Amino acid sequence: MGQIVIVGLNHRTAPVEVRERLAFPADTIGHALRGVVEPRGISEGVILSTCNRVEVCVLADEGFRGTEAVREFLSSYHGMPAKELSEYLYHQTGEEAVRHLFRVASSLDSMVLGEPQILGQVKDAYGYAAEFKTIGPVLDKFFTKAFSVAKRVRTETRVANSAVSVSYAAVELAKKILGDLSDKTVMLIGAGEMCELAARHLLSAGAKGILVTNRTFERAVRLAEEFDGTPVRFDELSSHLKRADIILSSTGAPHFILKREDVESVLRVRKNRPMFFIDMAVPRDIDPDANEIDNVYVYDIDDLNNVIETNLEERQREAARAEEIVAAEVAAFRRWLESQQVTPTIVSLRRKFEEIKAAEVAKAVSALGADDPKTRKVIESLASSILNKVLHPPIASLKRESDGRSPMETVAMVREIFDLPEEEAEEERERTGDAPGQGGSVGSP
């Protein structure tokens, strides 16, 4: 059956200059995957390579030095001395490896808890392994299960629900204050990166249009073209401001771009329709006193950071619930792995006794000179009855979870007592694939 092994490093164990040396670009991943499964003791392999982590997951034969083989592969492939590399690497095997991948896919091990990108990156890693045929039935089941665990965590907890970036926090606040954004117009003052990102999110959230102004008009034109919006000359800002419901500002001005009296004037023209200002500039662009005007809402960068802090605390609370889901799923997957040992053992056991029965029935028939079908049927029936009675206790023990003994220990004991060849079990596993077969399933993930 083998053992699942994960060897890798991440943002907590290695600085970026090490992570970039160990990265596997997409255009060379096929060559790398073939190198991972090259040792005879490794039958399946997947490489996960992102900006924050590089991990190699393999299925290694029982007793094979899988961890060392992967370490040697990473050292050799990237030309990094093993001694230097070892201080950054971690490794997980068996159940801990299962828990690790489930946590990674669910974004519980990410730099930003609950971020959604990692699940797509794990799926990409699985896709590459499938494309280059380095994944088999066990890792296929393992990664497929990791995807469903991540989906369950995302569905049943709020670990990924609240915004933890400035741009997303701005969108969240806009929805909370203005409700439906489909009839709202956004104005960008300045062309800063955070402003631009927030504008993209607002448009994705349904905002109907965008105005862009900047001291350098050409930049305003370029950015407006990206959003299919309207450029506005900076000296015409005040005359266009009345059209905007949401104003994102991020200029390098050393003073307020909009004072309280400017906002009061615009609001009168708008007949007091609400205005939502997000001031991402330091020094600030919007006079904070404008926030005292009815139907005017001004948030600066500290306000947004406070929202993010609150949301992060909520994610941490939800992470505890997510860990419970992961723990339950790890136990279910462990039972499935164990069933992969139980089923071939039961098949091997029954096959061995069927062969003995057939040989003994033939001897008895020959010795008795009993050629008539009726006598032969009686002898076969007697032999089958004895066989079933003899096999019942060991098969029941294999299927049962009890006495604090794992099914793996029971499998080993039964195979030793009845002298069952391991090669036969391997053939049976290959024949039955990843589905627990006759009488051997003790659970499924």
Side-chain angles (χ1 to χ4, degrees):
M1 176 66 183
Q3 184 179 47
I4 295 173
V5 175
I6 293 177
V7 179
L9 49 76
N10 63 22
H11 56 281
R12 282 189 289 273
T13 67
V16 64
E17 55 267 28
V18 173
R19 299 201 302 275
E20 64 190 8
R21 287 177 65 185
L22 269 288
F24 292 92
D27 57 352
T28 62
I29 197 72
H31 177 257
L33 281 166
R34 284 189 284 272
V36 167
V37 297
E38 194 172 283
R40 287 181 57 83
I42 293 179
S43 54
E44 302 181 36
V46 179
I47 295 175
L48 172 64
S49 182
T50 75
C51 58
N52 281 329
R53 70 178 66 240
V54 174
E55 294 181 346
V56 179
C57 177
V58 300
L59 182 68
D61 291 350
E62 290 290 350
F64 182 72
R65 37 189 285 281
T67 301
E68 289 73 17
V70 175
R71 285 173 176 267
E72 288 167 8
F73 162 76
L74 287 170
S75 171
S76 170
Y77 191 87
H78 293 289
M80 191 169 178
K83 187 175 180 182
E84 181 186 352
L85 182 59
S86 63
E87 65 179 293
Y88 303 112
L89 292 179
Y90 48 79
H91 72 273
Q92 311 279 357
T93 59
E95 187 169 324
E96 287 310 306
V98 174
R99 187 186 314 283
H100 179 78
L101 182 65
F102 286 3
R103 293 187 76 252
V104 168
S106 302
S107 193
L108 298 175
D109 195 52
S110 295
M111 179 182 286
V112 178
L113 180 65
E115 55 90 8
Q117 287 83 12
I118 185 64
L119 179 56
Q121 291 164 331
V122 175
K123 287 183 176 179
D124 287 344
Y126 167 85
Y128 286 130
E131 178 182 350
F132 292 100
K133 304 185 188 316
T134 61
I135 196 168
V138 175
L139 291 193
D140 184 285
K141 177 71 86 176
F142 182 29
F143 274 74
T144 303
K145 187 62 186 171
F147 305 151
S148 70
V149 173
K151 183 179 180 182
R152 192 181 161 200
V153 165
R154 198 163 288 271
T155 303
E156 297 182 21
T157 74
R158 292 176 53 81
V159 73
N161 280 22
S162 46
V164 291
S165 70
V166 169
S167 52
Y168 269 119
V171 176
E172 210 172 66
L173 279 171
K175 286 181 177 177
K176 193 174 292 184
I177 291 170
L178 301 176
D180 181 16
L181 302 182
S182 61
D183 61 345
K184 301 298 184 290
T185 297
V186 179
M187 170 170 268
L188 292 188
I189 304 177
E193 186 178 347
M194 278 198 295
C195 252
E196 182 182 337
L197 199 54
R200 290 188 192 281
H201 293 321
L202 283 165
L203 290 173
S204 297
K208 75 172 183 181
I210 191 164
L211 308 171
V212 182
T213 186
N214 193 69
R215 288 189 187 279
T216 305
F217 185 62
E218 289 73 18
R219 289 192 65 187
V221 170
R222 282 200 299 271
L223 197 55
E225 285 176 350
E226 282 188 36
F227 293 126
D228 198 20
T230 305
V232 173
R233 292 190 180 280
F234 196 76
D235 55 5
E236 296 175 0
L237 167 63
S238 57
S239 60
H240 288 272
L241 197 58
K242 61 187 177 188
R243 299 166 58 190
D245 306 287
I246 302 167
I247 299 93
L248 304 172
S249 187
S250 178
T251 75
H255 50 71
F256 296 146
I257 297 293
L258 293 172
K259 297 178 182 175
R260 172 175 177 146
E261 50 268 31
D262 300 325
V263 177
E264 286 176 326
S265 174
V266 172
L267 197 66
R268 280 195 295 274
V269 176
R270 287 172 55 87
K271 301 185 184 307
N272 283 324
R273 281 187 294 120
M275 299 184 76
F276 175 47
F277 292 85
I278 302 173
D279 187 353
M280 299 182 182
V282 179
R284 288 174 291 183
D285 287 339
I286 315 296
D287 183 351
D289 287 348
N291 193 44
E292 297 173 4
I293 305 170
D294 287 345
N295 286 334
V296 172
Y297 306 89
V298 180
Y299 284 79
D300 61 27
I301 195 71
D302 280 357
D303 295 324
L304 294 175
N305 284 331
N306 288 338
V307 170
I308 291 169
E309 285 297 318
T310 301
N311 289 344
L312 280 172
E313 290 172 5
E314 182 183 345
R315 286 193 176 197
Q316 289 291 351
R317 287 193 296 274
E318 290 298 307
R321 292 181 56 212
E323 295 285 5
E324 292 175 3
I325 292 172
V326 168
E329 296 288 357
V330 168
F333 191 78
R334 186 194 68 229
R335 289 195 294 274
W336 177 82
L337 277 176
E338 290 171 344
S339 78
Q340 300 306 289
Q341 293 282 7
V342 168
T343 301
T345 299
I346 291 174
V347 172
S348 296
L349 189 60
R350 182 165 286 279
R351 180 182 297 149
K352 179 166 186 171
F353 275 76
E354 288 287 354
E355 289 171 355
I356 293 171
K357 186 192 85 172
E360 295 304 318
V361 166
K363 282 184 191 175
V365 169
S366 175
L368 292 172
D371 292 334
D372 63 296
K374 187 175 179 182
T375 303
R376 184 181 184 89
K377 186 175 181 182
V378 169
I379 294 171
E380 286 185 341
S381 176
L382 174 66
S384 294
S385 177
I386 294 171
L387 181 149
N388 287 333
K389 282 182 170 58
V390 169
L391 286 183
H392 177 73
I395 290 178
S397 180
L398 283 167
K399 292 180 177 179
R400 188 171 56 235
E401 292 180 78
S402 63
D403 304 332
R405 188 173 57 214
S406 78
M408 303 293 281
E409 291 174 306
T410 307
V411 164
M413 184 175 65
V414 169
R415 300 195 75 84
E416 183 176 354
I417 290 173
F418 292 98
D419 191 24
L420 301 178
E422 182 60 34
E423 297 76 14
E424 195 173 81
E426 196 62 42
E427 290 171 4
E428 183 59 27
R429 277 194 291 274
E430 290 177 3
R431 190 184 67 78
T432 56
D434 60 355
Q438 63 180 63
S441 177
V442 291
S444 61

